[in-house]
Amino acid sequence: PGTYTVRLSVDEEVMEQSFELMMDPKVAESGVSLADLKQQEKVGLEIVDLLTDVKKMREDIRQEQSKLEQRKDLSVAEQKRLEKLQAATKQLVRAEGSYTKPMLIDQVNYLYGIVRRADQIPGKDVVERLEELRQEKKKLEQSIDD
């Protein structure tokens, strides 16, 4: 909820219109406060940041892994690096097939789905799980850099 301005630019012409976005009365009647919604937004944005980080990590790993896999004669150190990258990929991305274990990216996506599903303050379990997933990401980064 709050006051927002929409701006539309067409060629040289700029049009603006302000409007007031109000909380759903049914949400307010259920006991959810503006502070609760702000907390939900804060946690949701933290989850989005983590999701962005782990997806960027996945892409960086894929690029480096691809470069190493294209080379014919890898040194022992490069072979070890490739193995670390392959192991990290397995921790980030769900394996192909049915009934596979959700990996880090899937778990962060799932947590985000929980937070954005309804207008309510995120539960203690969501905040705790977010911290656990942050720690998993940190450990994964350290395992690559060792």
Side-chain angles (χ1 to χ4, degrees), residues 5-76:
T5 302
V6 176
R7 180 176 299 129
L8 175 65
S9 300
V10 178
D11 296 324
E12 300 294 320
E13 189 176 353
V14 177
M15 296 166 273
E16 290 186 356
Q17 176 68 47
S18 294
F19 64 95
E20 183 76 23
L21 183 64
M22 299 170 59
M23 184 187 302
D24 182 340
K26 293 177 186 173
V27 172
E29 287 173 11
S30 72
V32 175
S33 69
L34 182 57
D36 295 339
L37 294 180
K38 287 182 179 187
Q39 179 65 19
Q40 179 185 23
E41 178 184 32
K42 178 183 175 287
V43 171
L45 290 173
E46 289 175 11
I47 295 170
V48 168
D49 287 344
L50 178 60
L51 186 57
T52 300
D53 289 348
V54 294
K55 284 183 175 182
K56 182 177 182 335
M57 180 191 301
R58 175 189 62 192
E59 187 56 34
D60 291 346
I61 288 170
R62 281 184 179 167
Q63 287 179 5
E64 185 178 353
Q65 189 175 343
S66 177
K67 286 177 186 177
L68 289 172
E69 288 172 343
Q70 290 175 5
R71 296 198 30 224
K72 300 231 186 253
D73 296 321
L74 295 178
S75 68
V76 173

